[in-house]
Amino acid sequence: MVYYWLFFLYCQLVVCLAWSDGAVRRFPPGFMFGVASAAYQVEGGWDADGKGESMWDRSIHKRPDLISDGTSGDVSTDSYHNYKRDVEMLRELGVDFYRFSISWPRVFPDGFTNNKNEAGFQYYNNLIDELLKYNIEPMITMYHFDLPQKLQDLGGWANPLSILWFEDYARNLLERYGSKVKYWITFNQPNGICMEGYGDGTMAPFVSVKGIAEYICVKNVLLAHARVWKMFNEKYRVKNKGSLGISIAVNWLDPLNNATENVQATDEYREFTIGLYVNPIFSKTGDFPQVVKDIIARNSKEQGFRKSRLPVLTSDEISAIRGSADFLAMNHYTTSLVSRPKKNNHPSPSFEHDANVKLTYSKHWAVAKSPWLRSAPYGLYKALIYLNLKYDYPYIIITENGWSTDPGLDDTQRVDNLRSYLNALLLAIEDGAEVSGYAAWSLMDNFEWTAGLSERFGLYEVDFDAAEKTRTPRKSAFVYKEIIASRIVDEAFEPKSMQMTLSDRRMKMKAKIEL
Ligand code: GBH
């Protein structure tokens, strides 16, 4: 009888902790939690052991003033030498997977595959083996912004031959690691590669041929992705039981108010920022969104171009790209409010001129250290529902979501942001979104592109002044660890101490599987 009551009380306790509004809100079984990083942002070792020069190496060495605090990724967190500590941190968190990227010039210094850098291949091999040893799934991004400089000398992603260079590179990665790695992502954020790299000139290669180069780049990147998909399907998928996707930035957009022109501007801008990449791959019809084609064609004509600045996709190209992914790897950070300016004052031609919108934020949304980043978790919910309805329930893995702060271990704002976005995600899953994983950006502080080290995205703080690049868990690391272990977002959880211990969750699961 006593046992009965004890058991009853215990259950009450569990129910209190785990249930809200009378229903358990738990991430579904099999849902994967992870963290993400990218080669140039964490590895350092920019010329170690035969690595070639990337376009980020070249840009920053030539123009250190491009980076707000004058830093570079030359050393960064030095993961090239510290990868075992990185995996230890992943074990502390208890994550299911680690999303990292491969530096193309580390494995092929010139970009071309005739000249292979075995030391580079060995590095990733070691990292993968270390992950697998602890039952953590590697998720590899083949390309996260760091093109070999030699290929950039030839025009980079504006050169249609980049499609073949990338296919060659990808084939080598799949040959070498395909049997060990189940999750593959071809590109990180084509909009970052193309709009920022070739239009705004705010990311390497810092080219700015506005309104033209961006769109050429988008076409080439989509075709390169589709080539790799074809190769993966024909040769590697069955053999390795893997899956392949592409990371696309899907931030949410809402109209500033209900004025018809603002609602229309929002619809259009969703097509310019989301549809431009998602429609060709995930829609039934394929191709660029019609409204984007129409607007760019109309503007091009007015500007005296003989043809649209948006390259045409032939019907063969449309069918090669359509359906070319097992999952949509979604990077989601924030929401903006859209309105249509009275007059289009953007430089003509340009992407901004074509899109013709003004973006603002609600004053109620918390502002991160990064000026563009506001906390509006409802936007993740809406973005997921939008993708569901528009693209017929694609399989989604969230491959980036995060928050930036100043240095400091008490990162309450990151904790709040993490919890509220995970709650929004849970709601979307409950409402039918097919989301099977979530990766927090980022495992640790790292080189934040032109913001250098001034914006810290890490669950772990990195001491960049220390030779060892010491990593220390922030409060958010303890909170995330608890969420992963319990599968519940418990708002009341407070870490008892800031002392990290290894989580053996993944090893237990492995033991279970092996039984
Ligand atoms: C991700 O992109 C990247 O994939 C990742 O590498 C990066 O570390 C992470 O975001 C955090 O930024 O300063 O006004 O010019 C997210 C999209 C696009 C967000 C560029 C920041 C700069 C805007 N990023 N944007 S601004």
Side-chain angles (χ1 to χ4, degrees):
M1 198 59 191
V2 176
Y3 285 111
Y4 172 81
W5 281 110
L6 274 176
F7 180 68
F8 180 73
L9 283 171
Y10 172 75
C11 289
Q12 286 289 308
L13 195 68
V14 170
V15 165
C16 285
L17 288 174
W19 293 49
S20 61
D21 300 337
V24 153
R25 302 198 62 229
R26 193 186 288 269
F27 282 91
F31 187 89
M32 306 186 298
F33 285 101
V35 288
S37 74
Y40 184 70
Q41 296 180 269
V42 299
E43 282 177 5
W46 80 273
D47 64 350
D49 306 334
K51 177 181 169 290
E53 193 185 22
S54 78
M55 65 180 180
W56 275 95
D57 296 322
R58 172 69 65 89
S59 302
I60 301 183
H61 292 157
K62 249 175 98 184
R63 298 259 327 264
D65 58 292
L66 290 169
I67 311 307
S68 68
D69 60 0
T71 57
S72 78
D74 286 1
V75 185
S76 189
T77 77
D78 202 15
S79 282
Y80 186 64
H81 298 106
N82 291 326
Y83 74 90
K84 288 203 170 162
R85 170 64 181 132
D86 295 348
V87 176
E88 188 179 60
M89 288 141 66
L90 299 165
R91 293 168 60 205
E92 289 170 353
L93 293 170
V95 293
D96 302 293
F97 72 100
Y98 180 43
R99 174 184 178 228
F100 62 95
S101 83
I102 290 186
S103 156
W104 189 342
R106 190 178 296 289
V107 293
F108 295 112
D110 314 312
F112 301 109
T113 54
N114 62 314
N115 178 17
K116 188 185 258 193
N117 182 32
E118 182 48 35
F121 273 99
Q122 199 52 50
Y123 168 69
Y124 296 110
N125 204 56
N126 293 343
L127 172 58
I128 292 166
D129 285 351
E130 186 76 3
L131 291 166
L132 294 175
K133 186 165 144 194
Y134 297 107
N135 200 22
I136 299 166
E137 287 297 341
M139 177 185 285
I140 292 187
T141 312
M142 294 173 167
Y143 183 79
H144 198 125
F145 301 165
D146 47 352
L147 196 71
Q149 178 58 38
K150 285 230 166 101
L151 302 185
Q152 189 51 51
D153 291 342
L154 296 172
W157 298 110
N159 185 336
L161 290 175
S162 59
I163 300 163
L164 303 181
W165 305 331
F166 184 73
E167 183 186 13
D168 244 10
Y169 160 63
R171 177 183 297 110
N172 278 272
L173 299 187
L174 291 168
E175 274 299 326
R176 182 71 179 251
Y177 306 123
S179 61
K180 299 180 179 181
V181 176
K182 292 209 183 81
Y183 298 97
W184 291 92
I185 291 166
T186 52
F187 287 96
N188 183 64
Q189 293 182 190
N191 81 315
I193 300 169
C194 299
M195 300 305 156
E196 288 156 35
Y198 291 82
D200 316 344
T202 54
M203 294 282 270
F206 297 94
V207 165
S208 188
V209 184
K210 282 179 173 295
I212 296 168
E214 304 98 311
Y215 300 130
I216 298 173
C217 170
V218 171
K219 172 168 176 171
N220 292 336
V221 166
L222 288 175
L223 285 173
H225 162 80
R227 282 266 183 161
V228 174
W229 166 260
K230 183 160 188 278
M231 175 169 81
F232 184 78
N233 259 339
E234 285 170 356
K235 196 147 174 227
Y236 301 96
R237 168 196 301 291
V238 177
K239 199 166 94 188
N240 301 325
K241 300 195 185 72
S243 57
L244 181 135
I246 178 168
S247 278
I248 297 175
V250 185
N251 286 327
W252 187 239
L253 301 163
D254 260 334
L256 178 65
N257 53 36
N258 286 336
T260 320
E261 66 271 22
N262 295 340
V263 173
Q264 192 194 334
T266 306
D267 281 343
E268 287 174 14
Y269 199 54
R270 285 180 192 149
E271 298 293 358
F272 269 97
T273 57
I274 304 170
L276 190 60
Y277 316 96
V278 176
N279 206 75
I281 301 175
F282 293 94
S283 73
K284 292 236 154 51
T285 52
D287 201 359
F288 295 127
Q290 192 60 45
V291 62
V292 174
K293 291 201 291 185
D294 292 346
I295 291 174
I296 301 176
R298 186 196 69 209
N299 289 352
S300 302
K301 205 169 166 204
E302 280 169 20
Q303 289 151 346
F305 291 92
R306 199 168 61 82
K307 287 183 179 167
S308 176
R309 288 175 281 100
L310 181 69
V312 169
L313 295 176
T314 66
S315 55
D316 283 352
E317 289 169 342
I318 290 172
S319 41
I321 298 169
R322 190 181 50 214
S324 62
D326 294 306
F327 59 93
L328 197 174
M330 173 181 181
N331 293 351
H332 178 91
Y333 283 90
T334 197
T335 291
S336 312
L337 302 178
V338 183
S339 58
R340 175 124 290 158
K342 291 224 164 50
K343 196 160 172 283
N344 192 341
N345 287 323
H346 297 284
S348 164
S350 67
F351 170 79
E352 293 76 18
H353 185 270
D354 292 331
N356 187 23
V357 293
K358 183 175 180 298
L359 300 179
T360 52
Y361 304 96
S362 160
K363 62 177 189 301
H364 302 293
W365 301 342
V367 193
K369 176 73 180 174
S370 315
W372 55 272
L373 181 48
R374 317 283 159 126
S375 193
Y378 87 96
L380 174 57
Y381 175 85
K382 285 182 99 174
L384 286 167
I385 300 303
Y386 173 82
L387 292 172
N388 267 354
L389 296 177
K390 197 156 164 119
Y391 303 105
D392 198 18
Y393 293 78
Y395 286 102
I396 295 174
I397 298 176
I398 295 182
T399 45
E400 284 181 36
N401 171 249
W403 188 256
S404 59
T405 60
D406 280 315
L409 297 181
D410 186 354
D411 57 345
T412 309
Q413 266 209 347
R414 179 174 291 102
V415 168
D416 291 349
N417 190 71
L418 176 71
R419 282 181 176 149
S420 53
Y421 272 81
L422 284 176
N423 270 324
L425 171 57
L426 253 180
L427 204 56
I429 293 173
E430 288 158 1
D431 286 354
E434 300 268 8
V435 186
S436 55
Y438 171 93
W441 182 273
S442 182
L443 171 60
M444 62 191 144
D445 293 341
N446 56 55
F447 182 77
E448 179 52 26
W449 310 113
T450 51
L453 302 179
S454 70
E455 297 173 9
R456 305 297 183 93
F457 275 90
L459 298 171
Y460 282 71
E461 174 151 285
V462 176
D463 180 355
F464 290 99
D465 295 329
E468 310 75 37
K469 310 295 170 194
T470 321
R471 291 110 154 94
T472 312
R474 293 200 167 105
K475 186 177 172 189
S476 56
F478 294 92
V479 169
Y480 194 38
K481 178 184 173 128
E482 174 68 17
I483 292 171
I484 296 172
S486 66
R487 321 249 117 191
I488 292 166
V489 183
D490 172 8
E491 303 285 342
F493 172 78
E494 277 288 331
K496 282 189 209 56
S497 90
M498 291 287 267
Q499 211 56 47
M500 199 42 115
T501 51
L502 286 177
S503 154
D504 56 359
R505 195 179 75 88
R506 292 299 302 172
M507 294 313 283
K508 275 192 193 146
M509 285 168 70
K510 188 174 182 180
K512 242 189 223 163
I513 292 160
E514 278 167 2
L515 269 178

